[in-house]
Amino acid sequence: MFRYPNGKVYQPKEQEVKKKRQQQHPSFTYSNRGMSLEDDLNETNQYYLAHQIAVIHKKPTPVQIVNVDYPRRSAAVIREAYFKQSSTTDYNGIYKGKHIDFEAKETKNKTSFPLQNFHNHQIDHMKSVIQQGGICFVILSAFQQFYFLDAELLFTFWDRKENGGRKSISSDEINEYAHVIPRGYQARIDYLKIIDKLYF
């Protein structure tokens, strides 16, 4: 049993259930299932790594184990554990000698992107990365598109919220300030194309 920091029991997402189903039934092909933002980014990063373009990985979610059984000397069974809240962002690595650090978020909201999807510690971490000269941004899955939003622009919207303003980024603002990431076949979310355009 895994629990979130608030004690709520973890329930696998539909996507994870589909993945297990695919492993159990090889006839359930990769092309037949929907891809989540995380799956697409992991595929993209694997492509970058395999072709020696960049080294970027998803950070594992930290887990605190609280209850373990030892049915045999050589085996341990985790009975209860909690997902700990990550203190940083989802992905980091290196590209063209620059530290890359980003968060990936998605929403089904049709008119705006809620800022409640972010946490103070993530904003603080992104600010620290930029202060050290790293490239920091957010990949948003919204309005049937993938967007690249520079972290400094995110800070503007975050500060507006903190000062009593709007608690979300409107679709108009995203379309004005963010960059649409081209969808690809091998690099499914080819965000390095945007980095090349903005930083190199």
Side-chain angles (χ1 to χ4, degrees):
M1 180 189 302
F2 280 85
R3 296 179 184 273
Y4 290 104
N6 64 6
K8 185 178 177 184
V9 175
Y10 166 71
Q11 297 291 337
K13 290 182 182 175
E14 177 75 16
Q15 190 63 36
E16 292 167 10
V17 172
K18 286 181 180 178
K19 193 176 286 185
K20 284 180 184 171
R21 207 177 291 147
Q22 182 196 14
Q23 290 166 351
Q24 292 166 355
H25 305 286
S27 60
F28 186 79
T29 63
Y30 183 82
S31 59
N32 287 338
R33 68 187 179 90
M35 292 289 284
S36 72
L37 175 61
E38 182 179 315
D39 289 327
D40 281 337
L41 283 170
N42 291 341
E43 289 280 332
T44 300
N45 290 336
Q46 283 180 343
Y47 173 81
Y48 291 156
L49 184 63
H51 290 80
Q52 299 183 346
I53 298 168
V55 179
I56 299 166
H57 294 287
K58 184 178 192 313
K59 293 178 229 172
T61 304
V63 171
Q64 179 181 3
I65 298 168
V66 295
N67 188 358
V68 182
D69 282 348
Y70 294 92
R72 297 191 309 275
R73 273 178 135 180
S74 60
V77 178
I78 298 172
R79 295 295 182 194
E80 187 175 0
Y82 289 83
F83 289 115
K84 294 168 74 176
Q85 199 171 65
S86 175
S87 61
T88 59
T89 49
D90 289 333
Y91 294 86
N92 69 3
I94 191 163
Y95 175 58
K96 292 185 177 179
K98 277 282 200 178
H99 176 77
I100 303 294
D101 204 299
F102 69 94
E103 182 71 13
K105 299 287 188 186
E106 51 191 326
T107 185
K108 292 181 179 173
N109 192 308
K110 292 184 168 56
T111 59
S112 65
F113 196 94
L115 286 164
Q116 67 183 18
N117 287 340
F118 297 94
H119 303 285
N120 278 304
H121 62 264
Q122 291 174 325
I123 300 295
D124 291 341
H125 171 75
M126 287 189 274
K127 287 179 178 178
S128 296
V129 169
I130 289 174
Q131 285 171 359
Q132 294 300 319
I135 295 173
C136 197
F137 55 95
V138 180
I139 291 179
L140 304 176
S141 175
F143 325 128
Q144 299 184 329
Q145 294 276 10
F146 297 123
Y147 294 92
F148 179 110
L149 181 67
D150 186 274
E152 300 219 42
L153 285 167
L154 173 65
F155 302 155
T156 301
F157 297 122
W158 184 264
D159 290 343
R160 178 177 71 182
K161 174 186 81 75
E162 294 293 280
N163 291 319
R166 186 185 177 112
K167 293 180 170 51
S168 64
I169 311 172
S170 72
S171 58
D172 288 342
E173 288 171 328
I174 288 175
N175 284 312
E176 181 176 356
Y177 296 110
H179 302 266
V180 174
I181 303 172
R183 297 171 192 255
Y185 174 66
Q186 292 174 310
R188 294 177 180 274
I189 306 176
D190 199 358
Y191 59 89
L192 291 185
K193 284 186 177 176
I194 308 296
I195 290 177
D196 283 338
K197 186 167 75 172
L198 297 179
Y199 301 98
F200 293 104

